[in-house]
Amino acid sequence: MVEQVKEIFAELGIADDVQEDTLLQAHLGLDSVETVRLALELKRRLGIEVKLGSRQDVTVGTLCRMATIATSNVQSGVQSGVQSGSSSDTGS
């Protein structure tokens, strides 16, 4: 997940070399527009929604952990949705 997030940063022109302890606002100087672009790209590329709009600055490592958790939740939801769909198809 760290490498995927680093690629997104580089492609958006935010930073070429970020570390896990790099703060999005304090170190990289991300403004609200860049934060939204980052969140949208995470959603587009990874299929996850990560809320970055809080006033608390987060590190790249925290962002990666949030993305990992969100990815796990999306995968769990898809699996349970498929199982539910199968059960209702069988019940019909």
Side-chain angles (χ1 to χ4, degrees), residues 46-79:
L46 304 176
I48 58 170
E49 289 190 33
V50 179
K51 296 186 180 189
L52 298 174
S54 71
R55 295 183 184 258
Q56 184 177 1
D57 204 357
V58 297
T59 64
V60 172
T62 300
L63 176 62
C64 291
R65 285 188 289 283
M66 291 166 61
T68 299
I69 290 167
T71 301
S72 298
N73 290 341
V74 167
Q75 290 172 349
S76 296
V78 168
Q79 290 173 354

Side-chain angles (χ1 to χ4, degrees), residues 77-92:
V78 168
Q79 290 173 354
S80 64
V82 170
Q83 291 171 354
S84 297
S86 299
S87 298
S88 61
D89 289 344
T90 307
S92 297

Side-chain angles (χ1 to χ4, degrees), residues 20-60:
E20 287 194 40
D21 62 345
T22 302
L23 289 164
L24 298 182
Q25 295 169 355
H27 296 148
L28 298 177
L30 294 188
D31 61 19
S32 59
V33 173
E34 292 167 319
T35 302
V36 168
R37 283 180 50 217
L38 177 60
L40 289 173
E41 192 63 18
L42 288 166
K43 183 175 182 177
R44 185 184 75 79
R45 298 228 350 229
L46 304 176
I48 58 170
E49 289 190 33
V50 179
K51 296 186 180 189
L52 298 174
S54 71
R55 295 183 184 258
Q56 184 177 1
D57 204 357
V58 297
T59 64
V60 172

